[in-house]
Amino acid sequence: MSELKINTRCVQAGYTPGNGEPRQIPIIQSTTFKYDTSEDMGKLFDLEESGYFYTRLQNPTNDHVAAKIASLEGGAAAMLTSSGQAANFFALFNICECGSHIVSSSSIYGGTFNLISVTMAKMGITTTFVSPDCTEEELEAAFQDNTRAVFGETIANPALTVLDIEKFAKAAHKHGVPLIVDNTFPTPVNCRPIEWGADIVTHSTTKYMDGHGSAVGGAIVDGGHFDWMAHADKFPGLCTPDESYHGIVYAEKFGMEGAFITKATSQLMRDFGSIQSPQNAFLLNLGLESLHVRMPRHVENAQAVAEFLEQQPQVKHVSYSGLPSDPYYKVAQKYLPNGGCGVVSFELYGGRAAAEKFMKQLKVFAIETHVADARSCCLNPATSTHRQMNEEQLTAAGVPAGLVRVSCGIEDKNDLIGDLAQALASID
Ligand SMILES: *Cc1c(COP(=O)(O)O)cnc(C)c1O
C-alpha cells in the first residue's frame, strides 16, 4: 500500500479482504477470542506469537484502522486509544517515568497542558515549556540530563501557532531523545511530521479524522526510525528486560519499528485500559475514507473566511497561517503547502459583549465546545472554556475577551461568509 498515493490509502489502506470476505472492515464486537489449547493461548500471552485474546489488549477492527493511520502518516506501527488525551499520555508515559523531564512547546491544547503540567507532575515527571518561536539557543537551554522527550503540536489548538518541526527534531536528536508531535489539526493529508524528522505522531481522532462529531478517539503512530538501543541508558523500559513479560527486551525483540507500540500496548493498554471500542474504530474508519476529500474543503472555506474577516471594520485581528499577514505564514508555507486546517480565530473590537451578541446572531455556525467537524461551529473562550478568568487574566493567557474561534466545516463558503457578515452587522 505504501507506494499508493495518500488519497488511495485514505480509502483502502489497513484492510484487504480475502476472497468472499466482507468489503468493509468488520466490527469485531467481541471481548474475547477462543483457542483450542492453553498452549496456543500461552504463546500470545508471552508475546511469542501475535494474535488476539482479549480486546483490552488488541482487537482486529482497531488494528485495521490503526494500520491505515500508520500508512497515512508514513509510520511503521500504530495503535488506537480511547481519546486524544489517552494517546498523548501513553506516548509520553511509554518513555518517561518518575524523575524524567519533558521539553514541550508552550503552545499546546489546554487538556495536554494540564496533563503534563499538573497530572504528570504528580507522577514526578517535570516539564520545561518553551515558546514554539524560541531560538535554537533557547531550545537548547531547556534540556536537562533527565530529558526523555520533546513535545509539540504541528498547528496548536487553539493558538494556531505552527511548529518548526525540523528545529525541534534537530534539538531532540542532539540530546538522544525522540520528538513527539500531535498532528491533530493538519492531519496526514496536510502534513506528515515523520517526513520532517518527528519520531512519534499522536492524534485526537475525535477531530478531522472522524470528522463528523461521532466518536471520541485517539491514535499513536511510531515512525520506526528512533534507535532506542543507541540511547539505552535513557530508555530502560524499552532496552532492559520486562519482568512482567518473562524478561523480554522490547527494543531487541521488536526492533526500531515495533518496540514502541508493542510496549505501549502490552504494558500501558494492559494496565490503564484506555481502549477505543471496535464500534468507534469502525466510525473512525468511515471518516478516514473521506479525509482527503474533506481537508481541502475545510482549508478552502477557512482561507475564504479568514480573508473576509481581515477586511471587516469590526474585526481587530485575524489568526490563520494561510494569510500573508500572519506571523506563521512563512513556516506554514514550508510545512503546510496545501494549507493547514479549517480553524480560524479572530478578535472583535468591543470585547466580551460584542462577542456574545455576534455569536447569538450566527445561524450556520453553531456554538459548541468542538472543532474540526463537517459542520461549522464557533466558540468564545471568555464566555465558555475560560469563563472563570477576568479580563486581565484573559489577555495574559493570549485569549482576549473578544476572541472568537471558528471551525469552518465543509458547507458552501458563501453561506459561511454570509452568516458571519449578517452577525457582524448586528454589532455595528
Ligand atoms: C482535542 C485535542 C486533544 C484531546 O483529544 P480528545 O480526543 O478530546 O481527548 C489533544 N490534542 C489536540 C491538538 C486536540 O485538538
Side-chain angles (χ1 to χ4, degrees), residues 82-88 108-112 151 153 155-158 182-185 202-207 215-218 370-372 405:
S82 54
S83 65
Q85 286 300 110
N88 282 324
I108 54 173
Y109 177 65
T112 313
F151 183 86
E153 293 178 8
I155 302 177
N157 176 14
D182 181 330
N183 195 36
T184 297
F185 267 21
T202 58
H203 281 279
S204 165
T205 62
T206 317
K207 312 294 165 50
V216 173
H370 189 43
V371 285
R405 181 184 71 184

Side-chain angles (χ1 to χ4, degrees), residues 143-165:
F143 283 83
Q144 304 178 1
D145 289 343
N146 56 342
T147 302
R148 295 292 175 264
V150 178
F151 183 86
E153 293 178 8
T154 318
I155 302 177
N157 176 14
L160 303 181
T161 55
V162 180
L163 192 73
D164 185 342
I165 302 171

Side-chain angles (χ1 to χ4, degrees), residues 1 15 19 23 32 49 74 81 105 107 141 151 183 195 206 214 264 275 303 346 351 357 361 382 415:
M1 273 288 161
Y15 173 66
N19 193 31
R23 184 70 190 98
T32 190
E49 274 175 23
T81 57
S105 162
S107 191
F151 183 86
N183 195 36
E195 291 175 4
T206 317
S214 303
I275 55 159
Q303 183 73 29
F346 58 100
K357 199 168 170 203
Q361 291 301 318
D415 287 338

Side-chain angles (χ1 to χ4, degrees), residues 115-199:
L115 168 69
I116 57 185
S117 65
V118 180
T119 301
M120 290 181 74
K122 289 182 191 161
M123 300 170 160
I125 298 165
T126 53
T127 301
T128 300
F129 291 98
V130 293
S131 160
D133 311 327
C134 64
T135 62
E136 285 186 22
E137 292 71 31
E138 286 163 340
L139 185 51
E140 182 65 35
F143 283 83
Q144 304 178 1
D145 289 343
N146 56 342
T147 302
R148 295 292 175 264
V150 178
F151 183 86
E153 293 178 8
T154 318
I155 302 177
N157 176 14
L160 303 181
T161 55
V162 180
L163 192 73
D164 185 342
I165 302 171
E166 285 188 321
K167 177 177 77 181
F168 277 75
K170 192 173 140 200
H173 296 160
K174 186 172 165 204
H175 291 270
V177 301
L179 171 64
I180 302 175
V181 173
D182 181 330
N183 195 36
T184 297
F185 267 21
T187 83
V189 170
N190 284 337
C191 180
R192 290 173 297 282
I194 291 166
E195 291 175 4
W196 297 102
D199 301 286

Side-chain angles (χ1 to χ4, degrees), residues 284-300:
L284 166 58
N285 184 58
L286 290 184
L288 291 170
E289 287 183 1
S290 63
L291 187 64
H292 59 300
V293 183
R294 290 183 285 112
M295 288 312 293
R297 177 63 75 87
H298 282 293
V299 167
E300 180 191 335

